[in-house]
């Protein structure tokens, strides 16, 4: 691994509660003065579903925690006085109580730069899969006689991108190979980027009205909950496709289901669902994923061998840097202390 920080002064304890943590990254941590424990949960249990008492027991002697999707609360952090850093192996941090981290003096980092290529690939895969009706076509072959279904090109179509972070920019770069017209809605337009990439900044309603594909890459915040609701779905073309590899709560899934049922939308490619945060909507998710005009994956856009190795490595570099009181890699620091200044 390149750009390795200096070894910590004395051995530290790092606990990993995320699955698919590779041996190369474990060796990097060990070579940099860390003893690594990878938690083993029972079948069907993850750090997101483990109880707080179980997490506290695992982390009681930890100096650093590489976390997946656990809810990081004030009570949890207060019970872990030794813990110095919570390192997300991913880029979302909505499950971490940032005020609690500040109050308890913990550092919070994300694995910026680790997974955007993988999620961008998944975004294009969902666009192509739903537009070319791959799921329906395969089912035709399974059921026989294999009738030919007409789909839609991505080539030379208009694609609307909502949000312009790392993943979105990688999606835009890929779309240029399809000769797509790219519309972007973002609160912070960058004229130089528009000139370089040939994108057009537009307001949200205009994007929804003009786009053949709408792809969501905005962060999930209270103000972006249900950014795509019944009213905004009604603005979209009846043969347009909605793609969500961002966060489930960005879309009102009930409204999306109704739009598909009433044939007011061409289809959807979904890697995330509202039911991830609200289990009461599990029935809505089940209805969505059963539909022939939906191509769905289980929030696994970043879950490639290569992508997970990259995010593991970024999280590990964050841990070693912070344990040395050094700045973590660029763009990774969310909550710091007096010597570590966050970038967000």
């Amino acid at each position: 691994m390149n750009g390795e920080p200096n070894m910590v002064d004395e051995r530290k304890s790092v606990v990993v509660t995320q699955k698919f943590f590779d041996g190369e990254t474990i060796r990097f941590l060990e070579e940099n003065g860390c003893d690594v424990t990878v938690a083993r949960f029972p079948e069907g249990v993850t750090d997101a579903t483990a109880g707080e008492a179980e997490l506290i027991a695992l982390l009681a002697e930890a100096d650093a925690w590489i976390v997946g999707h656990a809810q990081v609360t004030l009570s949890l952090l207060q019970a872990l006085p030794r813990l110095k850093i919570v390192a997300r192996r991913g880029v979302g941090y909505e499950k971490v109580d940032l005020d609690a981290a500040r109050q308890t003096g913990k550092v919070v980092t994300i694995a910026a730069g680790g997974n955007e290529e993988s999620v961008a690939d998944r975004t294009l895969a969902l666009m192509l899969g739903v537009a070319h009706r791959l799921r329906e076509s395969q089912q035709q072959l399974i059921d026989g006689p294999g009738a030919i279904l007409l789909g839609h090109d991505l080539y030379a179509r208009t694609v609307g991108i909502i949000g312009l972070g790392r993943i979105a920019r990688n999606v835009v770069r890929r779309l240029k190979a399809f000769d797509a017209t790219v519309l972007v809605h973002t609160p912070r337009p960058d004229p130089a980027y528009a000139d370089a990439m040939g994108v057009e900044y537009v307001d949200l309603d205009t994007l929804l009205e003009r786009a053949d594909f709408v792809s969501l890459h905005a962060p999930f915040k209270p103000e972006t909950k249900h950014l795509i609701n019944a009213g905004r779905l009604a603005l979209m073309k009846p043969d347009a496709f909605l793609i969500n590899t961002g966060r489930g709560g960005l879309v009102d899934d009930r409204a999306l289901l109704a739009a598909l049922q009433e044939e007011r939308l061409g289809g959807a490619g979904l890697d995330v669902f509202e039911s991830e945060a609200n289990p009461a909507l599990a029935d809505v998710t089940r209805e969505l994923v059963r539909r022939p005009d939906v191509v769905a994956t289980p929030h696994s856009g970043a879950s490639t061998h290569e992508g997970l190795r990259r995010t593991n490595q970024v999280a590990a570099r964050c841990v070693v840097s912070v344990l040395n009181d050094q700045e973590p890699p660029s763009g990774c620091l969310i909550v710091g202390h007096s010597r570590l200044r966050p970038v967000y």
Side-chain angles (χ1 to χ4, degrees):
M1 293 171 62
N2 297 324
E4 298 177 3
N6 296 326
M7 184 180 296
V8 295
D9 294 333
E10 59 183 56
R11 297 197 72 79
K12 303 292 185 180
S13 170
V14 178
V15 173
V16 180
T17 60
Q18 182 63 291
K19 293 181 178 180
F20 310 116
F21 204 75
D22 64 286
E24 180 185 353
T25 305
I26 291 173
R27 287 191 294 276
F28 166 78
L29 286 165
E30 291 174 340
E31 290 167 0
N32 281 274
C34 299
D35 296 320
V36 182
T37 300
V38 179
R40 306 295 180 191
F41 294 105
E43 186 68 27
V45 178
T46 67
D47 65 0
T49 57
E52 187 168 290
E54 184 176 3
L55 291 173
I56 290 170
L58 281 169
L59 296 161
E61 301 301 319
D63 299 289
W65 178 16
I66 297 178
V67 61
H69 298 283
Q71 203 76 38
V72 182
T73 64
L74 176 60
S75 58
L76 177 62
L77 295 178
Q78 286 176 327
L80 301 170
R82 178 169 166 172
L83 188 70
K84 186 170 184 178
I85 172 175
V86 177
R88 271 280 292 122
R89 198 215 35 203
V91 296
Y93 50 91
E94 65 272 8
K95 291 190 175 182
V96 181
D97 185 332
L98 301 184
D99 288 336
R102 294 184 188 96
Q103 182 178 330
T104 55
K106 314 300 185 188
V107 175
V108 178
T109 61
I110 58 172
N115 66 12
E116 59 253 31
E117 302 288 359
S118 303
V119 180
D121 279 358
R122 178 63 58 87
T123 302
L124 269 290
L126 290 173
M127 287 182 184
L128 291 165
V130 67
H132 281 263
R133 302 176 72 178
L134 298 185
R135 173 181 177 171
E136 296 172 85
S137 297
Q138 182 165 345
Q139 195 62 49
Q140 287 277 354
L141 288 169
I142 293 169
D143 296 339
I148 294 175
L149 304 175
L150 295 182
H152 292 275
D153 286 341
L154 178 56
Y155 167 74
R157 305 300 294 284
T158 298
V159 181
I161 303 291
I162 300 175
L164 196 59
R166 296 179 185 89
I167 293 170
R169 289 177 184 235
N170 277 284
V171 171
V172 171
R173 181 162 52 84
R174 286 159 171 76
L175 287 170
K176 302 313 289 183
F178 287 84
D179 291 338
T181 297
V182 180
L183 310 177
V184 175
H185 174 70
T186 175
R188 292 181 295 277
D190 179 350
Y193 177 81
D195 290 342
M197 298 302 296
V199 305
E200 179 184 352
Y201 294 115
V202 295
D203 63 76
L204 182 55
D205 286 359
T206 298
L207 182 149
L208 295 171
E209 291 167 353
R210 289 176 55 187
D212 301 302
F213 296 80
V214 173
S215 189
L216 291 165
H217 303 282
F220 181 75
K221 302 176 181 179
E223 58 268 30
T224 60
K225 181 177 180 180
H226 290 180
L227 183 68
I228 302 301
N229 53 28
R232 286 184 170 137
L233 287 166
L235 296 175
M236 294 176 65
K237 299 176 182 180
D239 59 352
F241 301 99
L242 181 69
I243 310 298
N244 190 5
T245 55
R247 286 292 184 267
L250 296 172
V251 177
D252 181 342
D253 279 357
R254 289 188 191 277
L256 173 60
L257 178 60
L260 292 168
Q261 289 171 333
E262 296 164 14
E263 298 183 354
R264 292 184 283 107
L265 206 61
L270 306 172
D271 187 47
V272 290
F273 303 88
E274 274 199 279
S275 59
E276 295 174 55
N278 183 1
L281 292 170
D283 287 345
V284 175
T285 297
R286 279 191 286 270
E287 289 192 59
L288 281 169
V289 302
R290 287 172 178 156
R291 293 190 57 81
D293 51 5
V294 171
V295 175
T297 51
H299 202 156
S300 57
S303 297
T304 65
H305 291 286
E306 298 82 3
L308 290 179
R309 278 198 296 269
R310 289 192 297 267
T311 50
N312 287 342
Q313 290 166 4
V314 176
R317 287 198 291 271
C318 287
V319 163
V320 174
S321 295
V322 171
L323 292 180
N324 272 304
D325 280 332
Q326 297 173 351
E327 290 285 340
S330 175
C332 292
L333 188 62
I334 302 302
V335 173
H337 52 64
S338 59
R339 293 183 59 187
L340 300 175
R341 293 180 294 175
V343 295
Y344 295 126

